[in-house]
């Protein structure tokens, strides 16, 4: 059962006070009337005694009746005066102030708008759904966020109200029970439910939704992989374990043999892949412009964008400078990407034989170590818990005594799979101070901290929000995002508006900010395109760029009546 409204509690207290007040006044008045008669030998009427009791308890002072002589009577009056002061001080903070705060505080919605149709219901906001919410907003899909905690719900409501108008269809809902909240969220009109609470709460939510007759898709985000089957038995359509996927992705970013290839790139051509490649500060590419580096001519790979301190530049020109420690997003055949990786590496100090260091041996760290060991790579695991099996060094990764036992100069890379972003940030600073050239891969919980982690020196950083967001978007819409970050998209569109025009004449990159990476013609994909390549009306074109650039491409080159531009 969720918490009752605080407003109702304050009202009940006020009603009890109002009901008790006449009883207290009459009792004090009768006691005073009796005391004056017995102890002082003076007669007071009931109304005179009632007036005195009111003046005393409210601390407003006395009129004519302000003289007493008997010690017991004086003690009685003094005691009543203190009681009156105490009641006034208790009334204001315990009842009046909370009521005023509730009265003027932002009221929490109890029901979703009646116009909602085909919306997504999200149980509990958190890192796992941050990217999903942004993606759904971009797709124009309305959302209802169910949050049981009043304070958290109020914070979310204020947060969405401060955002641009395109967030107008993100609604926050706060209800007394899960059942009531689902009914108030217009469950019968929803297209899907995302259960992002704890595993136990998710199971209850799935059962309640099915009991209410919901037959749509329910995606449950599980904290523990072994809870997948129980959640499926409860009625979840899919059970996702993003931490498990995050661990594999971090391992792939750390190990050259597991170079991060983006799932789905094989749709363009069997040998065509998208990869992210770090530019070492001592490599021949660092500091040169894209034109000077002649990447395409020398390797056959196409550079789609460049990450620098957590920001993606997808609008590249020949004058774009390749930043030391930047990350190139490139597409090409395996051999071409290997050549580009060779150019971006510091050949004077190769790291080919040392171990991979994994700091933090929770669920994510265990998955990182497992993937690396399955690939035949040596791994050294660090964790504070001495009872965890598989830990090689016990302690904190920022401790000097522990770091001295590690050969950081020959380690292949370090993966920071720590629980908190603050610990990850500080560990990155410590590692970069001791071994500035050691590739550092960081797990991040909140996407908003990515830029900070990059700024202090991380070479790769990946958040749970990015991983879970892409998985959830794929499950909800069937779309494949061909990048590790949702900002970079590969789109497939009809080329009917480009028919009989040469690639050099169109200059798609200059016009829209997108790069042409392949053309589909008569069932085959052509990815080696020269400037004289001429489009046909029946072709499909694959372009890549920032989400804003792909929208601009759709506006400039999308053809009325032709297949809509869709994410491949």
């Amino acid at each position: 059962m969720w918490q009752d409204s605080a407003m109702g509690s304050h009202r009940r207290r006020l009603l009890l006070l109002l009901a008790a007040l006449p009883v207290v006044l009459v009792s004090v008045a009768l006691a005073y009337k009796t005391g004056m008669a017995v102890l002082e030998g003076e007669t007071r009427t009931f109304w005179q005694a009632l007036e005195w009791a009111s003046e005393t308890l409210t601390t407003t002072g006395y009129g004519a009746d302000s003289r007493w002589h008997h010690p017991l009577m004086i003690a009685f009056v003094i005691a009543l005066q203190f009681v009156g002061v105490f009641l006034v001080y208790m009334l204001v903070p315990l009842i009046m102030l909370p009521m005023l705060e509730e009265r003027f505080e932002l009221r929490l919605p109890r029901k979703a708008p009646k116009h909602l149709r085909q919306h997504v219901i999200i149980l509990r906001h958190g890192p796992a759904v941050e990217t999903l919410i942004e993606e759904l907003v971009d797709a124009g899909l309305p959302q209802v966020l169910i949050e049981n905690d009043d304070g958290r719900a109020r914070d979310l409501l204020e947060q969405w109200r401060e955002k641009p108008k395109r967030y107008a269809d993100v609604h926050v809902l706060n209800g007394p029970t899960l059942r009531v909240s689902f009914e108030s969220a217009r469950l019968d009109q929803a297209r899907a439910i995302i259960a992002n609470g704890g595993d136990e709460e998710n199971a209850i939510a799935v059962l309640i939704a099915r009991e209410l007759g919901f037959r749509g898709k329910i995606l449950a985000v599980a904290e523990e992989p072994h809870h997948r089957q129980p959640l499926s038995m409860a009625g979840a359509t899919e059970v996702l374990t993003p931490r498990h996927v995050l661990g594999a992705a971090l391992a792939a970013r750390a190990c050259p043999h597991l170079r991060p290839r983006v799932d789905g790139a094989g749709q363009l051509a069997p040998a065509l892949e998208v990869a992210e490649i770090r530019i070492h500060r001592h490599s021949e590419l660092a500091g040169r412009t894209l034109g000077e580096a002649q990447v395409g001519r020398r390797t056959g790979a196409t550079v789609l964008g460049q990450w620098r301190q957590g920001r993606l530049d997808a609008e590249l020109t020949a004058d774009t400078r390749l930043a030391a420690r930047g990350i190139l997003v490139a597409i090409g055949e395996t051999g071409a990407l290997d050549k580009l990786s060779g150019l971006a590496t510091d050949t004077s100090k190769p790291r080919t034989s040392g171990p991979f260091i994994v700091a933090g041996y929770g669920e994510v760290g265990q998955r990182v170590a497992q993937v690396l060991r399955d690939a035949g790579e040596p791994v050294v695991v660090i964790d504070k818990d001495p009872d965890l099996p598989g830990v090689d060094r016990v302690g904190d990764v920022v401790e000097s005594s522990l770091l001295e036992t590690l050969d950081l100069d020959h380690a292949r890379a370090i993966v920071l799979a720590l629980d908190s972003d603050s610990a990850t940030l500080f560990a990155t600073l410590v590692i970069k101070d001791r071994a500035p050239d050691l590739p550092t891969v960081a797990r991040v919980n909140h996407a908003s901290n990515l830029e900070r982690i990059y700024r202090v020196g991380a070479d790769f950083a990946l958040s749970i929000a990015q991983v879970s967001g892409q998985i959830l978007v794929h499950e909800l819409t069937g779309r494949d995002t061909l990048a590790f970050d949702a900002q970079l998209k590969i789109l497939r569109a009809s080329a009917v508006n480009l028919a009989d025009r040469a690639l050099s004449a169109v200059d798609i990159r200059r016009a829209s900010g997108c790069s042409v990476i392949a053309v589909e013609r008569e069932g085959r994909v052509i990815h080696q395109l020269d400037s004289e390549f001429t489009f046909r009306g029946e072709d499909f074109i694959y372009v890549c760029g920032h989400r804003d650039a792909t929208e601009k491409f759709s506006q400039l080159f999308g053809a009325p009546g032709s297949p809509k531009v869709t994410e491949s």
Side-chain angles (χ1 to χ4, degrees):
M1 182 70 70
W2 288 3
Q3 297 176 350
D4 292 330
S5 169
M7 189 65 173
S9 175
H10 300 322
R11 284 175 177 169
R12 283 194 297 273
R13 281 191 238 166
L14 181 61
L15 290 175
L16 287 173
L17 176 66
L18 293 177
L21 187 60
V23 176
V24 173
L25 280 173
V26 170
S27 300
V28 172
L30 292 175
Y32 181 72
K33 182 175 180 294
T34 302
M36 289 298 292
V38 174
L39 301 176
E40 297 288 344
E42 297 182 13
T43 302
R44 295 289 187 271
T45 67
F46 171 76
W47 297 110
Q48 288 174 330
L50 186 65
E51 180 185 14
W52 179 88
S54 173
E55 291 172 341
T56 301
L57 292 177
T58 58
T59 69
T60 56
Y62 302 115
D65 202 356
S66 59
R67 294 286 181 181
W68 305 277
H69 302 285
H70 196 284
L72 289 179
M73 196 63 196
I74 294 173
F76 173 73
V77 171
I78 292 173
L80 248 324
Q81 290 170 341
F82 276 101
V83 169
V85 172
F86 177 77
L87 289 176
V88 170
Y89 276 99
M90 292 298 292
L91 176 66
V92 173
L94 291 183
I95 296 178
M96 299 307 297
L97 286 180
M99 282 193 62
L100 291 173
E101 289 176 356
E102 289 287 344
R103 176 65 182 84
F104 293 104
E105 203 169 29
L106 192 62
R107 293 192 177 184
L108 295 174
R110 301 299 183 188
K111 289 188 176 181
K114 294 181 178 180
H115 70 270
L116 281 186
R117 297 288 188 280
Q118 291 297 297
H119 55 287
V120 177
I121 298 175
I122 301 175
L123 173 62
R124 290 191 176 275
H125 184 268
V129 296
E130 288 177 349
T131 299
L132 171 68
I133 292 172
E134 297 293 332
E135 289 282 349
L136 294 180
V137 167
D138 290 341
L141 293 176
Q143 305 163 60
V144 175
L145 304 179
I146 295 177
E147 184 61 60
N148 68 320
D149 181 80
D150 288 359
R152 181 60 179 155
R154 189 167 283 109
D155 290 342
L156 287 174
L157 187 61
E158 293 175 347
Q159 176 183 340
W160 298 127
R161 288 188 174 183
E162 292 174 359
K163 286 182 175 288
K165 289 184 178 179
R166 68 192 191 98
Y167 290 87
D169 265 342
V170 179
H171 307 277
V172 178
L173 192 64
N174 177 266
T177 65
L178 271 173
R179 181 177 292 273
V180 171
S181 294
F182 276 139
E183 291 174 340
S184 301
R186 302 183 63 80
L187 183 66
D188 57 327
Q189 299 295 330
R191 66 180 291 166
I193 297 173
I194 309 296
N196 186 45
D199 290 351
E200 293 181 5
E201 185 180 24
N202 287 346
I204 295 172
V206 172
L207 287 170
I208 291 175
R210 294 306 188 197
E211 288 173 3
L212 292 173
F214 183 70
R215 296 292 176 263
K217 184 175 287 188
I218 300 180
L219 305 179
V221 180
E223 297 175 345
E224 300 291 340
H226 59 271
H227 289 161
R228 292 172 60 99
Q229 185 61 26
L231 286 168
S232 296
M233 293 171 63
T237 310
E238 295 286 344
V239 182
L240 313 175
T241 53
R243 288 184 179 86
H244 207 60
V245 178
L246 175 61
L250 291 173
R253 285 175 173 243
C255 181
H257 300 304
L258 300 172
R259 179 188 290 132
R261 308 292 203 231
V262 181
D263 292 338
Q267 298 175 48
L268 306 182
L272 200 61
E273 299 174 347
V274 179
E276 292 184 333
I277 299 171
R278 172 180 175 261
I279 302 175
H280 194 278
R281 60 175 181 160
H282 296 307
S283 76
E284 61 175 286
L285 296 183
R288 304 179 70 183
T289 65
L290 199 56
E292 292 170 347
Q294 299 275 312
V295 170
R297 183 182 62 80
R298 297 172 65 187
T299 68
T302 301
V303 177
L304 304 174
Q306 178 180 211
W307 284 100
R308 188 176 183 184
Q309 293 187 343
R311 295 186 178 182
L312 175 67
D313 179 12
E315 299 181 2
L316 305 181
T317 67
D319 296 327
T320 299
R321 196 162 297 281
L322 303 179
R325 303 169 67 98
I327 302 168
L328 297 180
V329 182
I331 189 169
E333 295 179 339
T334 302
L337 294 175
D338 288 338
K339 289 179 181 178
L340 178 56
S341 180
L343 293 179
T345 302
D346 177 17
T347 56
S348 64
K349 294 182 179 180
R351 294 175 180 265
T352 58
S353 59
F356 289 90
I357 301 171
V358 178
Y361 207 49
E363 183 182 339
V364 174
Q366 291 176 22
R367 180 59 174 163
V368 172
Q370 177 190 342
V371 171
L372 290 171
R373 284 170 177 154
D374 288 348
E377 300 292 349
V379 178
V380 174
V381 175
I382 301 171
D383 197 272
K384 296 179 181 179
D385 189 350
D387 298 326
L388 276 176
V391 174
D392 302 300
R393 301 282 196 281
V394 177
D396 195 329
V397 70
V398 299
E399 294 175 359
S400 296
S401 58
L402 187 147
L403 291 176
E404 288 173 359
T405 66
L406 303 171
D407 188 1
L408 297 182
D409 290 334
H410 294 92
R412 301 275 295 283
I414 184 168
V415 180
L416 299 175
L418 306 175
D419 289 334
S420 72
D421 290 351
S422 58
T424 300
L425 188 146
F426 186 62
T428 302
L429 286 169
V430 171
I431 294 298
K432 287 302 176 183
D433 176 58
R434 297 188 65 112
D437 292 331
L438 178 63
T440 303
V441 179
R443 166 219 175 150
V444 181
N445 290 320
H446 296 277
S448 58
N449 290 325
L450 278 170
E451 185 174 348
R452 297 186 184 95
I453 302 296
Y454 275 119
R455 192 181 305 136
V456 298
D459 299 294
F460 294 98
L462 193 60
S463 74
I464 190 71
Q466 291 172 291
V467 172
S468 60
Q470 291 187 32
I471 298 172
L472 290 168
V473 168
H474 172 73
E475 293 293 339
L476 282 177
T477 66
R479 298 182 303 176
D480 290 326
T481 302
L482 303 187
F484 275 102
D485 192 276
Q487 294 184 62
L488 194 63
K489 306 286 188 180
I490 294 179
L491 303 181
R492 176 179 181 268
S494 170
V496 66
N497 277 353
L498 299 171
D500 302 323
R501 301 175 68 182
L503 185 60
S504 59
V506 180
D507 200 356
I508 290 175
R509 171 169 276 186
R510 184 180 297 276
S512 66
C514 290
S515 301
V516 179
I517 57 176
V519 171
E520 183 181 337
R521 174 176 295 173
E522 296 178 350
R524 64 189 183 93
V525 176
I526 307 169
H527 61 270
Q528 294 183 343
L529 308 173
D530 56 33
S531 60
E532 301 304 317
F533 179 87
T534 302
F535 296 102
R536 298 178 185 175
E538 65 273 17
D539 290 345
F540 283 91
I541 180 174
Y542 290 88
V543 298
C544 181
H546 190 275
R547 64 175 67 192
D548 296 333
T550 55
E551 290 177 4
K552 188 173 183 180
F553 173 87
S554 180
Q555 295 170 359
L556 293 174
F557 303 107
S562 67
K564 183 181 179 181
V565 175
T566 57
E567 295 184 26
S568 65

